Amino acid sequence: MTDPDWLNRRRLLQLASVSAVALWLPRSACSQPRFSSNPFALGVASGSPLHDSVVLWTRLLLNSLHRGQTAVTVRWEMAHDEKFTHLVQSGQSLASAELAHSVHVEVAGLEADRWYFYRFMAGDAVSPVGRTRTFPQPDAVVNRLRLGYASCQKWEDGYFTAWRHMRQENLDAVMFLGDYIYEYPAKYSKVRTPSGGWVRSLDDYRQRYALYKGDADLQAMHAACPWLMTWDDHEVQNDYAGLQAGNSGLTDPSSPADFLARRAAAYQAYYEHMPLRAAVLTQALAGLARGAEMRIYSRLQYGQLAALYLLDARQYKDPQVCNKGGAMGSSTLNPAQCPAWNDPKRSLLGRQQERWLVDEFAKTKSRETGWNVLGQPTLFGQRDLKIGPGQSLWNDGWDGYTAARSRVTDALRQHAVTNPVLLGGDVHENWVGHVKADYADPNSASVGVEFCGTSITSRSSGSAKLAERLAENPHFVFADAQRKGYGVVEFTPRQLTTTLRVVDDVTRQDTRIETLARFTVQAGQPVVERA
């Protein structure tokens, strides 16, 4: 594999900072081209909302006549109305070729808890109009939050029609929990085949993101409300763990020796295509960075109603243990036959992120937060895949890091964190249940509740004996391995209501949406009830 030419990290920070702030630039500062094709073909997005600011994103997709330009001036506007007759702020930013002509504008000084409209302009081209919002003041009394959660959108497995239906849900924000792209060629179903084959270099990742972001339904949902982002493995390579390469299960042409360069390219491409703050780079530079680090874990406050935590379960995790044949990647196995299984030194989040999370839990008593929502990429609760005596657990998720999981649940109990709710993805199935203090004890106390979502399109292989698996894991109250879609959680001071929304058939562009199941949880009672 050739060197992906990861930018000098301080140079990357400089470019990101220039893109993030409003600039005054004369029109002659950079070229103002006339475009023969739409440079905003990848749409617009917003994210990382605070009570007084939000990130606006776009990326110019330039044709061969303009692709060589080092920078293009991009103008932006934010308004109270969709026709932009009541402007709030406007400015200019530089879209640099070194960052794939992407723009991340951090608009500050906004009013709390209100909706805005925004758009970009470059030369004679105007982007689609996006809609975004600020969160309430941290101490504000709030009556409702509608949060969508989703993950795992494999291009070849189906159409992204679920996003079209999600636009009708009247959401305040979307929490995306990983596997935004897939890095390998079409493997099984080929409803539509991704171009480009294997994704290994920076240019490869950019092209794969451009393919996905060219989808009209995904674009429209990005433009509907702010997104909160975390990642899983396929943004880089299947089953990678920290600094160790994974294993795609296919004939991956890349070499494990090239993995760090590949990971660096993937991280840069992720930043280029997501509505993230430049702080994901500055915080990494200030810390003990490992390789091309991006500090994406964070906490956002939604008034007194909810604290939203975004966790990174890939970048810092220790390698999986006891893989069959010593292979890299993941395996299912009997933990009784793996001496390293319960090693307390092993971590899924990494020690620094763990300490940060425990410190945040310790602060909850002074914040008067109703719900504490942890968005992380995978299933949290133990899931024994073997029916009957013995166990078969998957070593890539929380089951493979039991001591680390116990540290999280112990911290939730120690600091009396109110109303913990864990949202997850990764497994391409809906699993709903209770977070237990000790999964080895069926009578163990419930610490919180869990809603692990299905995929937007990605296939599942676990539908066989699902009822038996559910009985084998009584802390779960519901599971479904067939249907694809997303979840919507509505929080109020008194209860949350989670609705599992699923499409009929991901292979049809005209597929319909319906409710698979609905659940409620009363504040102060970590018990999931079927509504």
Side-chain angles (χ1 to χ4, degrees):
M1 171 181 166
T2 58
D3 185 346
D5 194 27
W6 167 256
L7 296 171
N8 174 277
R9 296 176 68 226
R10 295 196 180 276
R11 170 63 175 160
L12 176 64
L13 173 59
Q14 292 170 354
L15 292 169
S17 299
V18 168
S19 175
V21 299
L23 301 174
W24 182 88
L25 295 169
R27 293 182 62 86
S28 59
C30 289
S31 174
Q32 290 290 326
R34 296 183 64 84
F35 298 99
S36 59
S37 60
N38 178 19
F40 296 108
L42 301 186
V44 300
S46 68
S48 304
L50 301 177
H51 70 276
D52 59 355
S53 74
V54 70
V55 176
L56 307 182
W57 173 92
T58 192
R59 176 193 163 194
L60 302 181
L61 195 62
L62 304 182
N63 59 30
S64 57
L65 293 177
H66 304 291
R67 198 170 295 144
Q69 291 184 244
T70 57
V72 177
T73 300
V74 177
R75 307 183 307 281
W76 58 269
E77 294 179 338
M78 179 173 274
H80 287 310
D81 63 307
E82 195 169 5
K83 294 183 178 180
F84 292 84
T85 56
H86 301 286
L87 282 181
V88 175
Q89 291 192 40
S90 62
Q92 299 180 102
S93 182
L94 289 180
S96 166
E98 293 173 290
L99 287 175
H101 295 105
S102 62
V103 176
H104 303 70
V105 178
E106 299 180 17
V107 186
L110 300 174
E111 297 178 48
D113 196 15
R114 72 163 300 153
W115 288 92
Y116 293 94
F117 295 90
Y118 64 95
R119 64 185 177 186
F120 297 91
M121 292 152 285
D124 57 349
V126 181
S127 76
V129 174
R131 182 172 178 258
T132 191
R133 65 160 302 161
T134 52
F135 279 4
Q137 291 273 4
D139 59 352
V141 176
V142 181
N143 293 322
R144 191 182 78 157
L145 164 65
R146 283 181 61 79
L147 180 69
Y149 64 95
S151 62
C152 306
Q153 48 182 17
K154 191 186 295 183
W155 182 268
E156 64 265 30
D157 281 359
Y159 296 103
F160 295 168
T161 319
W163 295 121
R164 184 190 313 162
H165 293 292
M166 187 187 276
R167 286 191 68 203
Q168 309 304 316
E169 301 284 357
N170 191 28
L171 300 177
D172 292 296
V174 171
M175 185 177 281
F176 192 84
L177 300 173
D179 293 341
Y180 193 96
I181 62 167
Y182 281 72
E183 82 286 7
Y184 50 73
K187 184 177 180 181
Y188 298 116
S189 59
K190 297 182 181 179
V191 176
R192 48 184 184 171
T193 303
S195 58
W198 285 98
V199 175
R200 296 181 291 155
S201 69
L202 177 56
D203 189 58
D204 291 341
Y205 284 104
R206 286 170 170 172
Q207 290 185 41
R208 188 58 52 90
Y209 277 108
L211 173 70
Y212 277 55
K213 283 186 167 289
D215 184 273
D217 292 325
L218 177 59
Q219 274 191 30
M221 191 60 229
H222 267 299
C225 67
W227 284 40
L228 317 177
M229 306 298 302
T230 190
W231 55 25
D232 196 19
D233 54 341
H234 290 291
E235 286 88 352
V236 180
Q237 184 191 30
N238 183 54
D239 288 348
Y240 88 94
L243 301 177
Q244 178 172 289
N247 185 345
S248 67
L250 298 170
T251 307
D252 191 329
S254 65
S255 165
D258 296 327
F259 176 69
L260 292 185
R262 180 181 185 177
R263 193 185 86 151
Y267 284 10
Q268 178 175 337
Y270 187 84
Y271 176 79
E272 290 171 350
H273 291 86
M274 299 301 160
L276 299 172
R277 294 180 181 272
V280 302
L281 304 171
T282 59
Q283 289 175 3
L285 285 170
L288 300 175
R290 305 194 311 167
E293 185 187 15
M294 283 210 339
R295 192 68 55 83
I296 65 170
Y297 59 84
S298 62
R299 181 191 63 82
L300 303 172
Q301 193 72 27
Y302 197 87
Q304 293 184 14
L305 182 61
L308 307 175
Y309 304 79
L310 291 166
L311 303 184
D312 178 350
R314 278 292 162 188
Q315 185 173 189
Y316 313 107
K317 75 188 294 185
D318 290 312
Q320 305 89 341
V321 292
C322 301
N323 279 334
K324 296 172 184 176
M328 291 185 290
S330 67
S331 292
T332 55
L333 57 116
N334 182 352
Q337 300 173 357
C338 179
W341 192 262
N342 295 312
D343 184 352
K345 297 179 181 178
R346 300 180 63 248
S347 177
L348 185 72
L349 301 178
R351 288 294 185 171
Q352 185 168 336
Q353 186 179 188
E354 276 193 27
R355 287 194 296 270
W356 167 84
L357 184 61
V358 172
D359 288 345
E360 291 297 329
F361 288 166
K363 299 173 185 175
T364 58
K365 294 179 182 178
S366 62
R367 288 182 178 140
E368 300 183 7
T369 298
W371 302 90
N372 284 275
V373 186
L374 280 66
Q376 46 83 50
T378 192
L379 187 71
F380 188 82
Q382 179 175 289
R383 185 175 59 160
D384 183 4
L385 302 174
K386 187 178 187 300
I387 309 303
Q391 285 185 316
S392 178
L393 302 180
W394 185 42
N395 68 357
D396 189 55
W398 283 100
D399 279 347
Y401 301 79
T402 55
R405 178 169 59 196
S406 293
R407 288 194 292 270
V408 174
T409 54
D410 289 348
L412 288 170
R413 300 177 73 192
Q414 176 187 350
H415 297 292
V417 177
T418 57
N419 303 314
V421 180
L422 279 89
L423 302 180
D426 185 32
V427 298
H428 308 168
E429 303 173 4
N430 273 306
W431 286 79
V432 178
H434 301 101
V435 176
K436 308 294 284 187
D438 181 2
Y439 286 96
D441 179 6
N443 297 317
S444 174
S446 292
V447 177
V449 297
E450 173 175 15
F451 299 94
C452 183
T454 185
S455 59
I456 292 292
T457 59
S458 304
R459 290 161 50 110
S460 168
S461 59
S463 58
K465 299 183 178 180
L466 187 63
E468 291 91 335
R469 288 185 178 179
L470 192 57
E472 189 73 25
N473 301 276
H475 44 277
F476 288 109
V477 301
F478 178 87
D480 179 84
Q482 294 290 336
R483 307 294 292 277
K484 307 304 173 188
Y486 55 88
V488 174
V489 191
E490 180 167 309
F491 298 91
T492 70
R494 298 183 60 182
Q495 72 172 28
L496 71 76
T497 302
T498 298
T499 305
L500 308 183
R501 299 283 279 165
V502 293
V503 296
D504 288 341
D505 184 356
V506 295
T507 68
R508 294 175 56 92
Q509 290 182 290
D510 61 350
T511 187
R512 297 176 300 172
I513 193 81
E514 66 181 13
T515 295
L516 176 66
R518 184 176 286 113
F519 305 90
T520 60
V521 178
Q522 303 303 313
Q525 302 177 35
V527 179
V528 179
E529 297 178 312
R530 187 78 177 258

